[in-house]
Amino acid sequence: MTVSRRNFLAGSALAAAFGPRLASAQAVHPTTWYNWSGHLSCQPAGRYSPGSSSELAEFLRTTSGPVRPVGAGHSFSPLVPTDGHLIVLDRLTGLTGHDARMMQATFGAGTRLGDTGELLESAGQAMFNLPDIDRQTLAGAISTATHGTGIGFQCLSGYVEALELVTAGGEVMEVTRDDTALFDASRVSLGVLGVITSVTFQNRTPYRLKAQNWVQKTEEVLEEFDERAANHRHFEMFPLTHSDYALVLAIDETDEAVNNPPPDPEAEAAFGQAMAYWATLPPKERKPLIDGMAATIEPTSAVDVSHRILTNVRNNRFNEMEYSVPLEAGGECLREILRTIIEAEVDVVFPLEYRYVKRDDTWLGMSSGDEDHAAISIHRTAGADYQPYFELMEPIFLKYGGRPHWGKVHTLKAEQLRSLYPRFDEFSDLRATMDPENRFLNDHLKSVFLG
Ligand SMILES: Cc1cc2nc3c(=O)[nH]c(=O)nc-3n(C[C@H](O)[C@H](O)[C@H](O)COP(=O)(O)OP(=O)(O)OC[C@H]3O[C@@H](n4cnc5c(N)ncnc54)[C@H](O)[C@@H]3O)c2cc1C
């Protein structure tokens, strides 16, 4: 059987759906808010969708009580749930200005990443990098330090040149590089310093990319990782669980003609069913089957404009934990996680994700500071109980100096976070000054900032 890497990822999600599931179904209420994976929900007092930053400022000045800005709800950590008002920026979208000489462009902060590609193309620009998917809003993505892959690329917040922020008290602030402290704090601010209403990005000229996918033994890839990461524009791998193999992805700039065939739905379905069968077997019996299948995956390649190559469609819902560890600890951390999955017979078929992210100057970015980081993700299909798996892995991430992705599942509170982020206390003090009544804090964020 020959299959593509995409089939493997889609199939593993389907297979995991046969794993342990949460006991109770949640009652659906028409006004209930759910996150993308469906495990977080809330019943907000209302949803407020301003038509301008001055309207939003007026709303914040004339109301009291909790508020939470929400983007596309693609975070797995409970950053959004509130019984106060959700602030939704679906009317503050689109390209609002661009500077051809500086290669910068300004968007309404509610713009989805996936809408920026063509808008920027029309302005002769393109983003330097994008994350794995493009459904997030710009404000939501930068607020959690969302990143793509590539040792040469910072998280998206690293490309922010300016932003507009409406504070809890209803003040509209233009934040630029000149205001160093607020600029470096607000570019990754979890929606606790104010509501971001517009963002200006540093971009470049449009370009085409070639993606190459293949399968290789995880240990071999790890040994070559630094060299490959240095030689390719983007390089990452998806180690398979209970297997010696990883799916490998390298992306480089190219002048080749566009050639990006759509996936074959029949092959995807057939492969998903094969994996669903494996998931019925005890984990320790899966290795020969998964290794056998992995060895048959043929290399593939695709060429397209940058934004169509950098992002994917993820139709299968999951929950995720992601930590970044200092680069030199990445390989050992990943090895220990893969070993533990085998030793503890963790019933998971979803591949991991292993990628590098460049250091940046933000206060709370996962790769902020003076070291590049390796980001490692683990996943569990939505509906399955992710807690036992994630609880087993989180101490391993922490042992290697891991910092949690703000938008993904973690259990850290202020005391631990303070030791991981040198600027954490400065950020907390700034937050308390800008939002003295804690309007922007929900229960999760109280545990993050108040301990
Ligand atoms: C399928 C999938 C793939 C993903 N891939 C990646 C990846 O490759 N790399 C990566 O790093 N992450 C990835 N993520 C995580 C995701 O990028 C982040 O969780 C991101 O924050 C989600 O953006 P959102 O628009 O959905 O924001 P939400 O999840 O709705 O909100 C996230 C945070 O932003 C705040 N916020 C939203 N809007 C505003 C605003 N206007 N002003 C101030 N604060 C605001 C919210 O209050 C909250 O704190 C992925 C998530 C999913 C579901």
Side-chain angles (χ1 to χ4, degrees):
M1 187 186 215
T2 56
V3 292
S4 70
R5 164 185 158 264
R6 184 191 150 96
N7 290 347
F8 209 105
L9 292 171
S12 58
L14 180 62
F18 287 73
R21 301 186 72 80
L22 292 177
S24 62
Q26 286 163 314
V28 178
H29 188 279
T31 58
T32 304
W33 173 89
Y34 290 96
N35 76 327
W36 176 83
S37 69
H39 83 292
L40 298 171
S41 64
C42 69
Q43 195 69 65
R47 285 169 167 79
Y48 179 67
S49 175
S52 67
S53 46
S54 49
E55 262 181 46
L56 173 60
E58 173 74 7
F59 174 81
L60 289 168
R61 261 197 310 272
T62 54
T63 57
S64 58
V67 285
R68 287 300 299 142
V70 62
H74 275 52
S75 293
F76 304 96
S77 57
L79 293 166
V80 169
T82 180
D83 54 10
H85 274 80
L86 284 178
I87 297 183
V88 186
L89 293 197
D90 51 6
R91 294 168 67 207
L92 297 184
T93 59
L95 183 64
T96 55
H98 61 96
D99 181 329
R101 193 178 60 83
M102 298 296 286
M103 279 285 155
Q104 293 176 359
T106 303
F107 291 94
T111 310
R112 303 279 180 134
L113 281 171
D115 294 331
T116 61
E118 284 172 18
L119 290 170
L120 284 174
E121 250 172 39
S122 67
Q125 298 185 23
M127 288 182 93
F128 279 94
N129 200 9
L130 287 166
D132 200 39
I133 59 151
D134 63 8
R135 290 293 76 214
Q136 306 94 316
T137 62
L138 293 176
I142 65 167
S143 294
T144 61
T146 291
H147 61 86
T149 186
I151 190 69
F153 299 97
Q154 298 180 343
C155 68
L156 289 189
S157 310
Y159 301 91
V160 171
E161 282 298 317
L163 52 84
E164 185 182 71
L165 189 70
V166 183
T167 64
E171 189 189 346
V172 182
M173 301 178 80
E174 298 299 329
V175 185
T176 65
R177 284 193 178 274
D178 297 339
D179 186 353
T180 314
L182 186 55
F183 182 69
D184 290 341
S186 61
R187 283 184 291 152
V188 181
S189 50
L190 288 67
V192 300
L193 296 185
V195 181
I196 298 166
T197 45
S198 85
V199 194
T200 302
F201 280 95
Q202 181 63 54
N203 298 313
R204 54 156 290 176
T205 49
Y207 56 110
R208 227 174 283 157
L209 290 172
K210 177 173 188 172
Q212 293 176 277
N213 293 280
W214 68 93
V215 171
Q216 196 177 343
K217 291 210 161 157
T218 305
E219 194 49 47
E220 280 175 23
V221 186
L222 264 182
E223 276 161 25
E224 299 168 353
F225 207 95
D226 285 350
E227 196 188 330
R228 299 262 198 174
N231 292 337
H232 291 286
R233 189 176 196 268
H234 309 268
F235 185 72
E236 69 179 303
M237 73 166 155
F238 301 85
L240 304 178
T241 54
H242 303 287
S243 166
D244 289 337
Y245 287 88
L247 313 166
V248 189
L249 171 64
I251 303 181
D252 291 291
E253 245 176 286
T254 184
D255 292 329
E256 287 179 36
V258 169
N259 177 17
N260 193 6
D264 173 0
E266 277 180 28
E268 270 187 15
F271 188 71
Q273 278 167 10
M275 289 207 67
Y277 166 66
W278 301 347
T280 64
L281 301 174
K284 61 182 169 201
E285 290 176 22
R286 289 179 199 160
K287 186 170 181 300
L289 290 166
I290 297 179
D291 282 357
M293 170 68 88
T296 68
I297 298 181
E298 291 174 347
T300 58
S301 67
V303 175
D304 213 328
V305 293
S306 56
H307 57 94
R308 291 202 194 101
I309 289 291
L310 290 170
T311 60
N312 303 280
V313 176
R314 296 272 179 254
N315 290 324
N316 303 293
R317 311 247 160 172
F318 53 81
N319 284 301
E320 182 174 342
M321 170 178 275
E322 177 180 351
Y323 270 80
S324 74
V325 299
L327 214 57
E328 66 281 0
E332 276 318 297
C333 182
L334 179 66
R335 286 184 181 98
E336 186 165 343
I337 285 173
L338 288 168
R339 219 171 34 238
T340 307
I341 289 173
I342 292 171
E343 285 166 8
E345 296 181 31
V346 178
D347 188 1
V348 60
V349 288
F350 226 112
L352 280 66
E353 188 168 12
Y354 184 77
R355 46 190 165 168
Y356 284 175
V357 185
K358 188 179 174 168
R359 68 192 81 174
D360 64 61
D361 295 329
T362 63
W363 286 5
L364 293 189
M366 272 178 111
S367 302
S368 60
D370 48 19
E371 280 180 297
D372 301 329
H373 277 65
I376 307 174
S377 301
I378 59 174
H379 313 81
R380 196 92 164 105
T381 296
D385 183 2
Y386 61 77
Q387 264 176 1
Y389 178 30
F390 291 4
E391 273 171 15
L392 187 64
M393 298 303 154
E394 197 171 32
I396 302 177
F397 286 125
L398 295 173
K399 177 175 147 190
Y400 291 94
R403 290 171 171 175
H405 188 304
W406 296 111
K408 305 196 181 175
V409 176
H410 72 89
T411 64
L412 303 197
K413 302 197 182 339
E415 200 183 318
Q416 292 148 297
L417 292 162
R418 182 170 290 125
S419 65
L420 295 172
Y421 291 91
R423 315 289 299 257
F424 188 81
D425 282 336
E426 273 171 273
F427 185 94
S428 290
D429 291 347
L430 180 65
R431 188 210 64 76
T433 311
M434 291 181 71
D435 181 18
E437 290 171 14
N438 298 335
R439 287 189 81 182
F440 285 117
L441 295 191
N442 63 9
D443 288 346
H444 170 70
L445 289 160
K446 279 181 190 156
S447 77
V448 164
F449 290 109
L450 308 180

